[in-house]
Amino acid sequence: MTPPDSDEEPTRVVTPHEPDDAPDDDSEESVAEDAADGGVTPASDVPEDVRKYERFTKIEGGTYDRANEFLRERTYVTAREWAIARLCADFRTETGVEMTKIGENLPELVPFMTDTYTPQAVNQARASFEEKVRKAGATFLYGAMSDFFTAEELDDVMYESTEVAKFLLEVEGVDLAVEEEMEAEDRISSVMREVREHSAALRHDEVCCPECGHEFDVDE
């Protein structure tokens, strides 16, 4: 594979494309066309910061399917999208994301990934992750603002979501203190109470179109 002239972030994928939604995309073979040739990078060629990278050390190699199944059951993203999104956040420089380094050293960075990837494949997975997070966020906030859930039901949803998020962070290697967990949960609960209060006022007052900014009464 011939790397690009620089490691600066390539043009973002803007066409609607979610490769991981297809039934056959639960395995790494589904992106074989985008994966780089050559397999695992020789140890002598692995950059120092890659060798020192300690995320995902709690997951053993060859467990892609298990990780993918867990995420499929509890989130909208796949294991591939989750891992690559984290790598893109960790390997960001002043000039952009080091997608060439991520793709060429993917098996060394993430134990359950076995193929190298092109910068384009890395960018595609990250774009898919971001798109799904935005859609999930809009879906959740609409449910919270539309009065479909009682305050208690919304608390249950937030609790379950928080537990899954904390588990994923712990798998990545983040050590969460009990005090930090409780503080985060309190902040989230406070924010959601404000969301319910403001959305109630919005439903019974004026509505602003998110597209054009036009305000109109709900009775119009």
Side-chain angles (χ1 to χ4, degrees):
M1 179 187 73
T2 302
D5 294 335
S6 69
D7 280 342
E8 293 189 5
E9 183 174 343
T11 303
R12 180 189 174 93
V13 177
V14 296
T15 55
H17 182 50
E18 296 182 359
D20 291 319
D21 287 338
D24 295 334
D25 285 342
D26 283 349
S27 63
E28 294 180 66
E29 287 76 13
S30 63
V31 291
E33 295 182 358
D34 289 329
D37 295 330
V40 178
T41 305
S44 59
D45 296 333
V46 177
E48 182 178 359
D49 55 347
V50 172
R51 292 197 300 269
K52 293 182 177 180
Y53 192 74
E54 296 181 348
R55 300 276 194 185
F56 305 105
T57 56
K58 295 183 180 181
I59 299 184
E60 298 179 355
T63 58
Y64 177 85
D65 289 339
R66 291 175 58 189
N68 207 40
E69 182 180 357
F70 176 87
L71 287 166
R72 285 286 196 179
E73 291 178 352
R74 296 166 178 83
T75 73
Y76 281 141
V77 301
T78 66
R80 180 174 72 98
E81 293 166 339
W82 166 47
I84 289 179
R86 168 50 60 193
L87 293 174
C88 287
D90 290 346
F91 285 87
R92 177 179 292 278
T93 67
E94 294 181 357
T95 58
V97 177
E98 297 180 295
M99 295 195 177
T100 298
K101 178 183 290 186
I102 292 172
E104 291 180 346
N105 297 281
L106 192 56
E108 285 75 28
L109 292 165
V110 184
F112 58 77
M113 302 295 287
T114 59
D115 292 329
T116 57
Y117 281 68
T118 65
Q120 292 77 17
V122 172
N123 185 50
Q124 184 184 58
R126 185 191 65 157
S128 180
F129 175 89
E130 292 179 354
E131 182 178 2
K132 290 179 179 180
V133 168
R134 290 177 183 275
K135 288 183 177 180
T139 303
F140 171 74
L141 281 179
Y142 171 68
M145 296 174 65
S146 61
D147 204 26
F148 289 154
F149 297 96
T150 65
E152 292 75 16
E153 290 172 337
L154 193 58
D155 283 342
D156 289 340
V157 172
M158 286 304 305
Y159 175 78
E160 294 174 2
S161 301
T162 302
E163 288 299 303
V164 173
K166 288 192 300 184
F167 176 77
L168 295 178
L169 288 173
E170 290 172 357
V171 170
E172 291 178 9
V174 177
D175 293 326
L176 297 175
V178 176
E179 294 78 8
E180 294 175 336
E181 292 184 17
M182 295 180 63
E183 182 181 354
E185 292 175 359
D186 289 341
R187 289 201 304 267
I188 292 173
S189 297
S190 177
V191 169
M192 293 314 303
R193 283 194 294 270
E194 292 184 10
V195 168
R196 284 183 56 82
E197 293 174 0
H198 288 292
S199 61
L202 180 66
R203 290 194 305 273
H204 296 91
D205 190 358
E206 292 184 341
V207 176
C208 178
C209 175
E211 298 295 336
C212 66
H214 172 68
E215 294 185 354
F216 53 92
D217 293 331
V218 293
D219 293 333
E220 289 185 6

